[in-house]
Amino acid sequence: MLNSYLLLVIGQISLLWSAGTTGFVPSIKPEIVKHSALSSYEKYLKKTNVGIIDTPIDFENNDELQSKSHINSCFFHEDSSGVICDLLDNRNDKEYFNSVEVADVMSYLKLQKKFELTATEKTWLEDKTLDKKFLAKVSRYISSSHGTHVAGIVAQDNSRVNILEMAAIPLKKGTVAGAKNTDEPLRQVTSADLFKLQFLIDKEIAQKMLLHQNMANFITENKIELINGSYGQNSCEDFILRSTLNLGLMPDPVHSKYLARYYRTMFNKKMKKLIDQNENTLFIYAAGNAGENNDMTPQVPATINSDQVIAVAAVDQEGNLASFSNYGPMTVDLAAPGVNINSKAIGGYNLDMNGTSQAAPQVTRTASIIRSINSKLSAKEVKEIITKTVDRLPLLAGKLKSGGVLNEKRAVIAAEFSKHPSSNLDAAILHAFNLLPEGS
């Protein structure tokens, strides 16, 4: 990561997969992002409902996003006490969306990337760098812009999409329920203690599932066909550590690793049931930014084994796996550009960010175009088109299931041809490669 920022907590232990921002830099190479403008008959295509599970989206200050916003956006309480829809006041929050200091934040980020500074600029930048309160505002602005940035990627040159905001309202992080602090010496973990810790994990996951059940119901009610999840439940180790200490136990690496795997396995199992509840919805998740193998250290929910789930890694401008990106030949499907990705930010500005958070919505964007072209395709078939029309790259072989990078143009061609009465999916994909061979 180039920088480390505060990230919105969803369900207390969730992290948004953003690797930070790099200010103002050139956009990614066109041969890596193969954008495809919708054809001339796009006005006849249906719109695809896309849910963005993220921080609140600033529709009001972004005309392109406002024109694609859906009236049924919702804010979810992470304590599962309820769901509030149409909270337009939240989108107009002065501190987040209309801060007079946003201009200073953007100037700061821009000067960070400038090679030659004037004496005045250098002095101003040095002063701001030493100002902890200002740096906290920079961090807060960037993390708060995450949902807007992700939505902007999905909406880019994509008029056939309805964006539904699915934002969680965070609560203050507390201690583990029922735990007691003690000054007594820590003792070793026993088999009985493992059962107690598993019980606490089960209770924690059950609480999270109440939140996700609300989201699943919202998906069903609003016929949402695609979900972009640029987030992950990656801090289960923190919960396990707090639980262990609060029970007066000595943290043990072996037991902690076992409990972390138990947490992720149980979480994925519960989440898959909620995904199955919406069989026509495709869920696109960021693979994570820890630079780890998801086959060995499963990141959730990206590692849910389902035909309705796509896990997305990030590549740089040259098509190399980004240094921060998670990978996995058995658990991560494909990659998309995730370095220096320019998109919308709070207050009507644009910002460049790095992360699998930025890679995932490019796949979501492609999926929305495919669904607009051929609404009869199932979630499984949309996934198949996307993952089988990639540009296979030697550097990604053995790192990802497909071994390749998203090719939007080829995927759209396959979707077009899949509508032909005499065509099947394999033939449509072959046809797409014939029209747009790899390396062309």
Side-chain angles (χ1 to χ4, degrees):
M1 296 185 185
L2 297 178
N3 292 294
S4 178
Y5 294 106
L6 299 174
L7 302 176
L8 174 73
V9 176
I10 298 180
Q12 294 186 8
I13 64 168
S14 299
L15 295 176
L16 295 176
W17 297 126
S18 242
T21 178
T22 58
F24 294 78
V25 291
S27 297
I28 201 158
K29 288 187 176 181
E31 62 263 32
I32 300 299
V33 181
K34 294 179 169 63
H35 281 303
S36 170
L38 293 180
S39 52
S40 58
Y41 61 83
E42 65 151 347
K43 63 183 179 180
Y44 300 108
L45 302 178
K46 67 177 285 292
K47 286 192 174 184
T48 304
N49 287 345
V50 178
I52 307 288
I53 301 177
D54 219 299
T55 60
I57 300 168
D58 182 10
F59 290 110
E60 301 303 316
N61 292 308
N62 290 283
D63 291 340
E64 184 176 21
L65 289 177
Q66 190 174 37
S67 65
K68 298 164 187 176
S69 64
H70 193 286
I71 191 171
N72 284 340
S73 293
C74 270
F75 290 74
F76 297 83
H77 287 284
E78 66 178 28
D79 65 350
S80 303
S81 62
V83 179
I84 305 174
C85 293
D86 300 324
L87 279 180
L88 297 179
D89 287 344
N90 280 31
R91 299 192 194 121
N92 287 323
D93 184 278
K94 304 300 182 189
E95 185 173 4
Y96 281 90
F97 294 161
N98 296 315
S99 172
V100 294
E101 297 181 29
V102 170
D104 274 355
V105 170
M106 300 307 290
S107 295
Y108 178 80
L109 296 173
K110 183 177 181 179
L111 290 179
Q112 277 189 316
K113 300 302 297 181
K114 190 174 179 180
F115 290 105
E116 294 184 11
L117 298 174
T118 66
T120 301
E121 289 173 336
K122 186 177 180 180
T123 300
W124 185 88
L125 187 61
E126 289 174 348
D127 289 342
K128 289 296 184 183
T129 302
L130 295 174
D131 186 342
K132 292 183 179 180
K133 289 185 178 180
F134 176 76
L135 292 181
K137 290 176 181 177
V138 172
S139 177
R140 189 170 189 176
Y141 173 77
I142 292 169
S143 61
S144 298
S145 288
H146 192 278
T148 304
H149 199 269
V150 166
I153 295 170
V154 175
Q156 183 181 0
D157 299 325
N158 185 10
S159 61
R160 311 312 299 168
V161 63
N162 288 322
I163 293 178
L164 289 91
E165 181 180 28
M166 298 174 65
I169 300 175
L171 298 176
K172 291 183 179 180
K173 194 172 184 178
T175 58
V176 179
K180 296 181 179 179
N181 295 321
T182 176
D183 293 328
E184 296 179 5
L186 299 176
R187 57 184 179 79
Q188 297 295 319
V189 177
T190 66
S191 297
D193 294 324
L194 279 179
F195 283 112
K196 291 179 182 178
L197 288 166
Q198 285 179 334
F199 172 77
L200 289 175
I201 289 172
D202 290 340
K203 188 175 181 180
E204 172 80 356
I205 291 174
Q207 184 67 31
K208 304 304 174 199
M209 287 306 108
L210 292 175
L211 170 73
H212 285 87
Q213 182 64 65
N214 281 338
M215 290 185 173
N217 294 341
F218 181 75
I219 291 168
T220 303
E221 292 164 4
N222 289 278
K223 297 181 173 59
I224 297 176
E225 300 161 86
L226 299 170
I227 287 291
N228 189 92
S230 289
Y231 71 95
Q233 300 277 57
N234 191 37
S235 57
C236 62
E237 287 88 352
D238 177 61
F239 174 80
I240 292 166
L241 177 61
R242 288 187 292 117
S243 300
T244 302
L245 292 173
N246 283 327
L247 289 176
L249 304 172
M250 177 73 73
D252 176 86
V254 175
H255 290 137
S256 296
K257 186 175 181 179
Y258 164 77
L259 290 168
R261 181 166 287 275
Y262 175 80
Y263 187 110
R264 292 178 174 118
T265 300
M266 296 306 295
F267 185 91
N268 275 356
K269 184 178 179 180
K270 299 287 186 182
M271 278 292 292
K272 188 175 186 304
K273 289 183 179 180
L274 296 184
I275 286 173
D276 291 343
Q277 176 182 322
N278 290 283
E279 61 182 16
N280 195 44
T281 304
L282 182 62
F283 295 77
I284 297 150
Y285 292 117
N289 292 339
E292 295 179 342
N293 185 342
N294 280 0
D295 295 357
M296 304 300 294
T297 308
Q299 304 299 320
V300 296
T303 52
I304 296 172
N305 184 19
S306 170
D307 290 331
Q308 293 173 247
V309 172
I310 297 179
V312 187
V315 291
D316 62 19
Q317 293 94 329
E318 305 301 327
N320 303 310
L321 189 71
S323 60
F324 55 77
S325 179
N326 286 8
Y327 57 94
M330 297 177 65
T331 54
V332 182
D333 294 287
L334 78 163
V339 178
N340 299 339
I341 304 302
N342 186 271
S343 184
K344 305 296 182 181
I346 286 171
Y349 292 89
N350 273 45
L351 192 66
D352 287 350
M353 287 188 183
N354 298 334
T356 54
S357 280
Q358 282 59 51
Q362 296 186 58
V363 176
T364 302
R365 178 185 181 280
T366 300
S368 72
I369 296 173
I370 291 172
R371 276 250 156 114
S372 292
I373 291 171
N374 188 352
S375 59
K376 294 182 179 180
L377 291 170
S378 66
K380 178 182 178 180
E381 289 171 327
V382 174
K383 175 179 179 177
E384 190 172 346
I385 287 176
I386 289 172
T387 56
K388 289 187 176 181
T389 56
V390 297
D391 284 324
R392 289 180 289 271
L393 301 177
L395 291 173
L396 298 180
K399 296 286 187 180
L400 308 172
K401 278 186 183 181
S402 67
V405 178
L406 174 71
N407 187 310
E408 184 178 273
K409 285 185 178 179
R410 191 179 295 127
V412 168
I413 292 171
E416 296 265 14
F417 198 72
S418 70
K419 294 168 59 179
H420 196 280
S422 62
S423 176
N424 58 44
L425 215 56
D426 289 336
I429 292 168
L430 179 61
H431 177 74
F433 272 100
N434 288 336
L435 289 182
L436 192 64
E438 288 190 86
S440 61

